[in-house]
Amino acid sequence: MRDILVFFLNYESWVSLQQALSSLSSLKPRIKTVYLIHPPTAIDKQQFQYEIQTIAVPNGEIAGALNTLLQTCDSTYALFLHNGDTLCPNIQPNRLTLPSGKAVMTFKQAIGSQYVEQPFLVRTAFFQEKTFADLNHLPFPDALFPAWLQNVETRQIVQTKDPWIKRPRANTSKSKREKYAYMMKYRRAKAEIPSPTLAIIMSAFNMTDYLETAIASCFLQQSPPDQLLMIDDGSEDNSYEKMCKWKKKRGVKVFKQKNGGKARALNALLPHITTDFVMEVDADDWLDPDALFTIKKKLQRLPKHAAVLYGNFRRWKQQPTGTLLYKTIAKGKPVRSASELMSYPFPLGPRIYRTTMLKQINGFPVTPFENGRLYEDVSVLMKLIKQPNSVFCYDDFTVYNIREHPTSITRLNRHKWNAFLPYADSD
């Protein structure tokens, strides 16, 4: 019975692909079709005794191609192999099945002491309700399968303990290890935390290349946001249209204004915030999958007179090839006064504001400097720290990712910092 579709993804050499194709021989009676996604070279299909199809689509469209194939196929199972994986000779075709009530078989893809759970065998009917996310929604392509698995209930998963997959030596670079640490968070159990409530605000100006990753990260969470308020600040690209795609999600509101700078844009969202706390997420950054759960747990212990909770940043550099290179974790430090704030190696964050205190100061000051278009984060923090009995609370946690790229407003205007300093404490 030919009831399995096999998918090969991210094979970088002909040798590794040939080895992987040859390793399927024991499954020959059950294989209906083998799909090669972006094969590294032309394949002599005649030397293999099963149907082979090659799929060449742009990297950003791989998820769409997989969804189309899997939602229209008539095979029972889909089997996925990645990055040089081969099947072991001892694999038994009759054992490659899923028990009743199970939809996904997974295996652990390890790098050192870290591992990412990956789907190995999946009932194809399951893809009618659980589709792959657009790659534009994810910070890096490696997250495609772990992010998909996050939406699968634990009771529907069985972990294979059989040594059926042989993996090549793992890439142990710093960037790869950090990506594994990030992806491991997808499999943590979902948990609703009703109190305190937390909103996310986001302003975008010409950020179409990165915007959907930022938005999607707000929902690929163990604990969802109570509100997501977004505003397009007069973009000349399709940022607003991308925001509108998310309007059907619970708690989402989308707004648009003529370009007036980030402070004015965020202030336009202020009247719509109904939560206890509000967090700012830049349109070119993104959150870890456990960010909102972690933040809410810390907010439960926050002193009542604390205006701001903040922690650490994880920094990534956007490469010309489109890949992300991990740089470092920028550790925060306690800030107890205005003078300590001004000597802080900005940016301070991630910044979670107490909503009542942010509204009491009428939001983000629009300073005379550059007509209020720069350093709104510094201005609002300066105003908050000078409020009576107001304190900032630093905690050592890292759930926020900064993307450094050539078009970053902060990067382009770094040289203006000294000119801004005389305006830092003005409205």
Side-chain angles (χ1 to χ4, degrees):
M1 179 178 66
R2 298 184 181 275
D3 62 342
I4 296 178
L5 300 179
V6 181
F7 292 86
F8 287 89
L9 299 100
N10 303 321
Y11 283 76
E12 297 179 354
S13 73
W14 160 240
V15 173
S16 65
L17 181 57
Q18 186 176 39
Q19 291 172 344
L21 286 167
S22 299
S23 75
L24 297 177
S25 58
S26 61
L27 293 184
K28 176 188 170 184
R30 294 190 59 188
I31 295 175
K32 182 171 184 179
T33 307
V34 177
Y35 291 99
L36 310 180
I37 312 297
H38 288 314
T41 185
I43 303 296
D44 180 8
K45 301 177 183 179
Q46 301 303 315
Q47 64 177 297
F48 301 103
Q49 298 177 333
Y50 18 80
E51 180 186 355
I52 295 177
Q53 293 192 26
T54 58
I55 300 177
V57 294
N59 283 332
E61 297 177 16
I62 287 176
L66 287 174
N67 287 334
T68 299
L69 283 169
L70 291 164
Q71 290 178 41
T72 56
C73 71
D74 57 0
S75 293
T76 305
Y77 296 111
L79 186 150
F80 299 97
L81 293 172
H82 313 256
N83 305 316
D85 292 346
T86 58
L87 295 182
C88 294
N90 64 343
I91 192 167
Q92 301 175 24
N94 62 331
R95 292 188 60 194
L96 205 56
T97 59
L98 286 166
S100 175
K102 303 293 184 180
V104 183
M105 179 185 292
T106 64
F107 72 97
K108 292 181 178 180
Q109 187 180 49
I111 176 171
S113 61
Q114 299 173 320
Y115 71 88
V116 176
E117 194 173 357
Q118 295 274 21
F120 170 53
L121 188 71
V122 184
R123 294 187 190 275
T124 54
F126 195 59
F127 289 103
Q128 297 293 331
E129 55 179 296
K130 303 290 184 181
T131 58
F132 290 109
D134 190 313
L135 280 183
N136 289 329
H137 295 178
L138 303 171
F140 28 80
D142 290 354
L144 180 64
F145 284 84
W148 176 83
L149 200 59
Q150 186 194 47
N151 293 316
V152 181
E153 295 181 30
T154 303
R155 62 180 177 82
Q156 297 174 301
I157 297 173
V158 57
Q159 289 185 351
T160 177
K161 300 187 183 303
D162 296 292
W164 285 344
I165 299 172
K166 182 179 179 181
R167 306 215 68 243
R169 180 174 294 180
N171 173 354
T172 57
S173 68
K174 186 168 65 171
S175 286
K176 196 70 173 181
R177 292 196 305 271
E178 201 64 31
K179 289 176 181 179
Y180 264 59
Y182 177 91
M183 291 186 292
M184 285 174 67
K185 295 182 176 184
Y186 282 124
R187 286 304 300 144
R188 294 181 184 171
K190 290 185 177 293
E192 291 274 358
I193 302 180
S195 180
T197 52
L198 176 63
I200 295 172
I201 53 175
M202 186 183 302
S203 167
F205 174 69
N206 291 346
M207 279 293 153
T208 186
D209 290 343
Y210 310 123
L211 177 61
E212 287 187 287
T213 300
I215 299 172
S217 76
C218 299
F219 293 104
L220 285 168
Q221 291 287 325
Q222 297 167 28
S223 181
D226 297 287
Q227 286 185 289
L228 173 58
L229 306 175
M230 298 182 285
I231 185 165
D232 178 75
D233 185 27
S235 293
E236 297 161 345
D237 57 17
N238 64 341
S239 293
Y240 178 69
E241 287 73 18
K242 288 190 173 181
M243 286 180 173
C244 288
K245 292 179 183 179
W246 299 83
K247 289 172 70 172
K248 293 183 180 180
K249 287 278 190 180
R250 187 193 76 175
V252 174
K253 291 183 179 180
V254 179
F255 304 87
K256 188 176 184 178
Q257 69 171 24
K258 291 182 180 180
N259 181 254
K262 193 172 182 181
R264 291 182 177 88
L266 295 178
N267 286 339
L269 300 177
L270 205 59
H272 303 277
I273 301 170
T274 60
T275 53
D276 301 316
F277 293 89
V278 56
M279 176 185 186
E280 182 185 348
V281 174
D282 285 346
D284 48 357
D285 298 337
W286 74 93
L287 301 174
D288 281 13
D290 64 339
L292 302 185
F293 175 84
T294 300
I295 289 168
K296 279 197 167 189
K297 293 294 284 185
K298 293 184 180 300
L299 290 174
Q300 289 177 341
R301 304 189 299 270
L302 198 70
K304 292 184 178 180
H305 55 289
V308 179
L309 168 69
Y310 64 102
N312 312 319
F313 284 123
R314 190 183 295 107
R315 293 186 179 275
W316 302 82
K317 184 175 182 179
Q318 187 73 40
Q319 300 290 85
T321 58
T323 59
L324 283 166
L325 179 67
Y326 170 69
K327 293 185 65 179
T328 188
I329 289 178
K331 298 277 284 187
K333 63 179 184 179
V335 170
R336 295 172 289 267
S337 65
S339 61
E340 287 186 352
L341 178 64
M342 293 314 298
S343 65
Y344 195 89
F346 284 103
L348 178 151
R351 299 176 297 280
I352 302 97
Y353 305 100
R354 189 180 296 275
T355 305
T356 53
M357 298 185 75
L358 185 61
K359 289 186 176 184
Q360 282 173 8
I361 64 167
N362 298 315
F364 297 81
V366 179
T367 66
F369 181 76
E370 295 286 336
N371 195 23
R373 293 174 180 270
L374 292 176
Y375 305 117
E376 79 294 329
D377 55 338
V378 181
S379 299
V380 72
L381 291 171
M382 179 63 75
K383 194 164 185 177
L384 281 170
I385 206 165
K386 290 194 170 185
Q387 298 304 298
N389 301 317
S390 173
V391 298
F392 291 3
C393 289
Y394 166 73
D395 206 331
D396 187 11
F397 66 101
T398 308
V399 296
Y400 192 98
N401 300 273
I402 286 183
R403 185 196 306 264
E404 297 181 357
H405 57 94
T407 58
S408 165
I409 292 176
T410 301
R411 182 185 181 92
L412 292 173
N413 293 281
R414 192 173 294 161
H415 63 285
K416 297 181 179 180
W417 172 253
N418 288 334
F420 162 74
L421 290 177
Y423 300 88
D425 195 20
S426 63
D427 290 334

